[in-house]
Amino acid sequence: MTDRHLVVGAGPVGRNVAQLLAAEGSEVVVATRSGTDTGIPGVEHIALDASDAEALSTAAEGVTVIYNCANPADYTTWEKFWPPLAAAFLTAAERSGAVYAITGNLYPYGPVGEPMHEGMPDAATDHKGILRAKVWADAKALHDEGRIRTVEVRGSDYVGTGVGDNGHVTRQVPGALRGKRAWVIGRKDVPHTFTDVLDTARLLVAAAADETAHGRTWHVPSNPPRTQEQALNDVLASVGKPPVQVSSIPKALLAAAGLAVPMLRELRQLSYQWTAPYLLDDSAARAHFGMEPTPWDEVCRRSAVV
């Protein structure tokens, strides 16, 4: 019998998850509010409000895994977006018996002074970090009670195919390809881990299928850290383009702009990620899954496609 999978979200991670599963011969349903067609052969697409627990539960009937690859289009509305969505996922997972695989991030850790590993507490004090920590804590609690099976995969800032404006480096690529100076938040010269969206999808699929991996978080195997300046110019070099000048947005300007632009205000709360080394320890996942990151040159080439 062919496995059936429900992928909620058609962003970069969701698309890669769907493509990987379809290539394995699985039945795949991609659910979005608008019923977006990913263009992946053999994949079914449905329009679904995933925050509707009844509708999501119906869509999840008979599936092997529910993949939470959802990401709000508006970065400023997380408090409104996530609580009902997270609750609906838990209801659907419990009713269907499907594994609940969550695409997480590093926000729950908050500012840290060492490479992040899965044994660290979720100690964030900013509202986005607290919110994402609760998404995992609530799922983990139901897993520990034996009511669902769940796993969360956490990566750092995304690079790779289709990331575009959702990535700190990739949003600079279109201008940089035309030789324009890039302006970045925080420092341009501190090491930072970047994670390929394809590798995130690879680990999410592998972790969902591995019963011994459930009940915990895993960090996506990622390439050695690069500064923002290095990462952007590596992307340019991968397609034969010359480097560009990279400058940091002055703190005073960022603060002033945040008063008028909600998105910048949100990003400023997380600017600690770009003012000191922000490093991911992925050794646990490498050892457990035998997984290595996609070579950096290949990631850069895919990041250059706009």
Side-chain angles (χ1 to χ4, degrees), residues 64-281:
T64 304
V65 184
I66 305 170
Y67 297 90
N68 179 354
C69 302
N71 190 40
D74 187 347
Y75 194 68
T76 68
T77 61
W78 279 26
E79 272 74 15
K80 179 180 179 181
F81 177 90
W82 273 113
L85 180 63
F89 272 116
L90 297 180
T91 298
E94 185 167 16
R95 289 179 180 177
S96 67
V99 174
Y100 175 33
I102 306 170
T103 309
N105 60 31
L106 304 180
Y107 290 8
Y109 296 127
V112 296
E114 60 181 301
M116 289 165 280
H117 58 83
E118 296 92 334
M120 282 183 165
D122 287 347
T125 57
D126 65 275
H127 68 110
K128 275 187 166 54
I130 291 171
L131 186 59
R132 283 309 313 236
K134 189 175 188 304
V135 170
W136 170 242
D138 289 348
K140 177 70 161 59
L142 291 189
H143 176 94
D144 290 347
E145 292 173 13
R147 294 168 58 184
I148 67 171
R149 294 170 294 158
T150 191
V151 65
E152 179 170 286
V153 164
R154 296 179 176 182
S156 191
D157 292 85
Y158 288 149
V159 286
T161 304
V163 177
D165 287 344
N166 293 316
H168 286 267
V169 166
T170 52
R171 72 165 59 101
Q172 305 286 345
V173 169
L177 287 170
R178 299 192 300 272
K180 291 187 176 181
R181 177 190 295 265
W183 291 88
V184 298
I185 293 174
R187 292 175 56 181
K188 67 176 185 177
D189 59 349
V190 294
H192 191 99
T193 297
F194 294 95
T195 299
D196 179 24
V197 286
L198 173 58
D199 290 339
T200 301
R202 289 170 57 211
L203 183 59
L204 193 64
V205 170
D210 182 353
E211 291 185 2
T212 69
H214 298 168
R216 57 163 291 173
T217 61
W218 296 93
H219 289 171
V220 182
S222 303
N223 282 282
R226 305 291 283 166
T227 69
Q228 292 191 82
E229 183 173 39
Q230 288 171 332
L232 178 57
N233 283 318
D234 285 348
V235 171
L236 296 178
S238 74
V239 290
K241 293 291 185 178
V244 296
Q245 292 294 315
V246 178
S247 299
S248 298
I249 300 173
K251 291 182 180 179
L253 179 60
L254 184 62
L259 297 176
V261 182
M263 177 67 169
L264 289 178
R265 186 162 57 247
E266 295 291 319
L267 290 174
R268 189 179 175 220
Q269 292 186 11
L270 299 167
S271 62
Y272 66 83
Q273 298 178 7
W274 303 98
T275 56
Y278 197 69
L279 310 176
L280 188 67
D281 180 344

